[in-house]
Every structure is written in structure tokens, then in C-alpha cells.
Amino acid sequence: MTVSQESQGRNIFVVGLDEDNLDTLCAVPGAEEFTFHPLLSKDELQHGEIDFPELLRKARATLDAFEGTVDAVVGYWDFPVSTLVPILAQERGLRSSSLESIVRCEHKYWSRLVQREVAPEAVPGFGLVDLAAEVPRPPEGVSFPMWLKPVKSFSSELAFGVRDEAEFREAVAEIKKGVDRVGGPFEHILDRLDLPDEVAAAGGAACLAEEALTGVQVAVEGFVHDGEVVVYGVLDSHTYPNSACFLRHQYPAELPGETVERIVDISRRVIGRVGMDSVTFSIEFFYDPETGAVNILEINPRHSQSHAEMFEHVDGVPNHHRMISLALGRDPRVKQGNGPFGYGAKWYYRVFRDGVVRRVPTPDEVARIEREIPGVKVHIVPEEGVRLSEMPGQDSYSAELAHIYVGADSDKELEAKYDRAVEALEFEIDDAA
């Protein structure tokens, strides 16, 4: 992988650096003074079995062998990246939040306990499901419909919406089969910490049940610098009709001002209690326009790399800038609204069936679309020959074919550009046998 411009400046090691995000990293202010180095590959970190001690050993060996100065270690992916970064940074005296503060967010049950302490009005009913029980039952006080998910997983892997006892039993069976893939390695992290009794008893391979939330999905992006919690972006997250699967994220959000103020206030309270510093974060919410209720879905102790192009479209600076600035001890604030478009969106082009991918759009076809539709960037997700249900990082109900980033000056223009891009993308998918 090619790194950014040759430089006598700062050497920044990016855990899980990929080509798409390298392009965006090279667009941050002052990128000419940075050299970005890959530290472990995305495949090593996200595919197959996760051997955390081996990943840590390989990352240390790469840093030890580097002949220049290591000025920062950063990452924008979920576990194990989110926990490798603070461990490696602390070992080298670099800036990062504490491992414990990161895990308070990563462990979904621990995170809910913290949220309930400082923002009980924004937390749905939740509890643990005993996977070892002969007949697992929903936790007391959590009613259908509900979501079942491991306390630690990738993206939406093994997350199931269930409406009754039959669907509950089916979901529990699937989670029991797959929970150890991430939960087992997560135990290596928990072993490093002095955990609250409730969290220690749950462990890293437990199952969480949460009452289903309704309304409009909203996300916030922020950072903590020298103890100050700053929210710099609020985004809408739209789903496909009659589905919990994302259709698009859109920045800025179109919400009542009072609702934005409440979301920002809850974010500051919760992140302040978590105790993070020198780190970016993102929080997902549900807002119910009918009742005015605001509830936290989950907290991520990292910014969303999925949102980078949206911030670049609207603010002129990708959100990676905050991550880099914090790791170097700099104030990451920038003037907002300096981008070429009034709105930015990331669209998820999905199919809701299984199949084998026989053809994907070629690089030349993608380049033509990006030339012909201003403000559009297309990332193809599957490779030819893959079975959709076997792609990593997908949810339990759909498969992503492409991520389409769009900058525009109105909702209508966002949709028109997306529709043009989708119409031009030529996939061939055989139905699953």
C-alpha cells in the first residue's frame, strides 16, 4: 500500500489502513507533513478467527522495527482496532484515551450501565440473556419486541430483532453458535482491566437483550480534547422501508433545534462519565417525532470512517482530521460549512436476498460514473464469486453491494444523484441454491 507524500514530518501508524481511507486521510489539513504507515491489514483484523495476542505481537514488531520516530498510532475501525490503539499508544507514551474508557463503550452491557447512571431518560430496558441456561429466557423487565446481540461483535453481526418467543429461541441459537468469534478474543482485553462485578460476571461472550426503539435514527460525531467534550456534527440515519437496515446517513441532520440540544446534552453527559480523552467518538440515537423521546442506541469510542466524505462535502474537512489532531496533541476544531455542498450523504445500495456475485462494476465503469455525476464517489463492496451471506461485516437481513457517497445542495438532488449512480451500476447475482 502506498502511503502519503514523502515527508520529514510526522510518522502516523494507522491500524487497519485501507486504500479508500488513505485517500481521505491525505485530504486532511496539513497532510503534506504526515506519512501514513499501515499497521496490520484490514483482512487480518476483521476476517476469520481473531488471535488478539498474535495481532498485538505483530503490531509491536512492526513498530519496533521502524527506524524513524513513531509519532502517533490511530485507527477508525471497531474491535480489535479500537482496543489495539490505546494499548500500543500507552506502551510508547503516545496520546490516546485509556483502555478502560474505550472498553466502557465497547462492552455493550457495561456501556448501558454507565448510560443509565447519567442519562436514565435516554436508555431503553435492557438485560443479559443466560446463554448457558437449558431454556434461555428474556431478562426480567425487557418485553417484546426486542433486539438480541452479543455484548461485543463487529458492526451488526449476530444482531437480531425478535418479536416473540419463537424468534427469540432462533436468535439465541444463532448467537450461541457465533458469539465466541469476537467474544473470545475480547476476553483478552477484559483480563487487563479491573472490572465492575456485574461486567466481570457477564464476560466478553454474553448476550444482551434490549427493548426495541422506534423513530428516526440520528448519529452524533464528537471528540474529547483536554477533558472538554465537543459535539461537531449531528446526522440523520435513514433506513429502508419496513427495515432496520440503513439506506443512508445524511449530514447535517434536519431536526428541531430543541431536539438537537437534548441530543448534544446527553452525549456530553455520557461521554464525560465514560472518562475518555484525546479521542473521537460517535453515538447513535433514536428520536421519536411523535413523543419527542430520545434514546441511545450505542456508543462507539471512535469516529465513523463512513462519515468522512460527508464532512468533507459540507465542512471541507474529513472527520479523520480530528483523529489525527488529537493523536498529535493538537486542538481539532475547524470552521464548519466551508465545503462545496450544503448536504452530504452516504447511501447503502443493498439486496435483501442471498446469492452468488457473478459480476461487479469494473473500475473503469465506476470512474465513469464519478466523472459524470459531480460530488459522487462509489465503493463496490463484494468481489466476484462471493456468496452474499458469507461476506464479513454484514447484518442478518441484507447484503451491501455498494457505498455511494453524494454531495448536493438539497435532499432532492441527493436522491437524484444516487438514483443515477445506482442505475449505472451493473451487478450480476445468481440466486442462491
Side-chain angles (χ1 to χ4, degrees):
M1 178 178 292
T2 305
V3 298
S4 68
Q5 302 97 323
E6 288 299 320
S7 169
Q8 299 301 313
R10 302 299 189 98
N11 293 299
I12 300 172
F13 282 79
V14 185
V15 184
L17 180 64
D18 59 313
E19 290 286 358
D20 288 334
N21 278 290
L22 176 59
D23 291 342
T24 314
L25 284 164
C26 290
V28 304
E32 64 277 1
E33 67 172 288
F34 307 143
T35 303
F36 298 108
H37 304 269
L39 187 59
L40 302 172
S41 71
K42 187 177 173 183
D43 283 348
E44 287 177 292
L45 292 158
Q46 295 187 353
H47 297 174
E49 296 300 316
I50 302 166
D51 186 340
F52 193 88
E54 176 61 12
L55 290 172
L56 192 57
R57 185 199 66 78
K58 291 178 71 173
R60 285 168 171 159
T62 299
L63 295 174
D64 288 343
F66 184 65
E67 295 183 355
T69 60
V70 177
D71 298 296
V73 176
V74 299
Y76 38 73
W77 300 113
D78 199 350
F79 179 82
V81 174
S82 55
T83 48
L84 283 165
V85 168
I87 292 172
L88 295 168
Q90 183 180 28
E91 290 176 349
R92 293 178 173 270
L94 303 173
R95 281 184 175 263
S96 176
S97 197
S98 69
L99 178 63
E100 182 173 329
S101 69
I102 299 299
V103 177
R104 283 196 190 106
C105 300
E106 289 279 12
H107 193 290
K108 294 181 187 296
Y109 181 57
W110 195 356
S111 182
R112 284 300 193 194
L113 295 174
V114 171
Q115 295 164 32
R116 192 168 61 187
E117 288 179 21
V118 293
E121 78 280 11
V123 181
F126 68 94
L128 294 175
V129 176
D130 185 0
L131 295 177
E134 185 174 342
V135 182
R137 301 287 187 190
E140 185 177 349
V142 181
S143 56
F144 293 110
M146 67 180 69
W147 280 88
L148 299 185
K149 59 190 75 172
V151 295
K152 182 66 250 160
S153 64
F154 284 138
S155 186
S156 297
E157 273 188 29
L158 296 178
F160 297 93
V162 299
R163 295 166 293 181
D164 52 37
E165 289 284 354
E167 291 184 353
F168 178 87
R169 290 192 296 270
E170 292 173 4
V172 166
E174 289 298 314
I175 291 171
K176 286 175 72 172
K177 286 192 295 185
V179 69
D180 285 331
R181 187 176 91 83
V182 178
F186 194 45
E187 293 281 4
H188 288 286
I189 302 301
L190 300 184
D191 288 344
R192 293 171 168 265
L193 303 173
D194 183 14
L195 303 171
D197 291 343
E198 286 182 273
V199 179
C207 174
L208 182 67
E210 300 178 334
E211 289 182 348
L213 298 171
T214 59
V216 178
Q217 287 192 252
V218 180
V220 304
E221 293 260 353
F223 61 84
V224 190
H225 177 60
D226 288 344
E228 181 185 3
V229 180
V230 177
V231 172
Y232 61 82
V234 182
L235 309 89
D236 289 322
S237 296
H238 300 265
T239 57
Y240 278 80
N242 303 312
S243 170
C245 301
F246 286 129
L247 170 62
R248 76 178 186 272
H249 304 303
Q250 181 174 318
Y251 172 64
E254 295 184 322
L255 296 171
E258 181 273 336
T259 300
V260 171
E261 289 177 6
R262 275 196 294 142
I263 289 172
V264 170
D265 174 62
I266 292 168
S267 300
R268 287 173 174 159
R269 276 187 275 153
V270 172
I271 295 299
R273 177 64 183 85
V274 166
M276 293 192 296
D277 203 358
S278 299
V279 71
T280 57
F281 64 85
S282 60
I283 307 178
E284 297 172 38
F285 290 87
F286 268 94
Y287 162 61
D288 189 331
E290 294 186 6
T291 66
V294 170
N295 281 282
I296 300 169
L297 179 59
E298 68 177 13
I299 303 173
N300 299 300
R302 52 167 176 75
H303 68 291
S304 174
Q305 54 85 29
S306 292
H307 299 162
E309 284 83 0
M310 285 188 283
F311 284 101
E312 188 171 12
H313 278 142
V314 178
D315 294 337
V317 177
N319 58 358
H320 289 327
H321 162 73
R322 278 90 175 183
M323 172 186 71
I324 299 299
S325 296
L326 290 165
L328 296 175
R330 301 173 179 175
D331 192 322
R333 289 173 178 82
V334 298
K335 185 176 180 181
Q336 295 177 268
N338 271 1
F341 299 102
Y343 292 89
K346 176 185 179 180
W347 297 77
Y348 294 83
Y349 178 34
R350 302 176 185 266
V351 291
F352 291 82
R353 60 181 175 85
D354 199 7
V356 177
V357 180
R358 296 306 180 195
R359 183 190 190 278
V360 300
T362 67
D364 286 344
E365 290 170 347
V366 170
R368 186 184 70 248
I369 293 169
E370 293 176 344
R371 285 196 308 271
E372 293 178 353
I373 313 175
V376 166
K377 178 181 176 182
V378 179
H379 170 66
I380 304 301
V381 177
E383 297 179 353
E384 288 184 0
V386 71
R387 189 183 183 97
L388 293 173
S389 61
E390 296 176 355
M391 292 197 306
Q394 303 300 303
D395 61 42
S396 304
Y397 305 100
S398 70
E400 298 166 2
L401 297 184
H403 299 157
I404 303 175
Y405 303 90
V406 181
D409 289 321
S410 68
D411 281 350
K412 186 175 181 180
E413 188 182 3
L414 283 175
E415 294 179 10
K417 288 184 176 182
Y418 170 73
D419 289 342
R420 282 182 62 191
V422 167
E423 187 176 357
L425 292 172
E426 295 186 18
F427 288 91
E428 294 178 9
I429 301 172
D430 291 345
D431 290 337

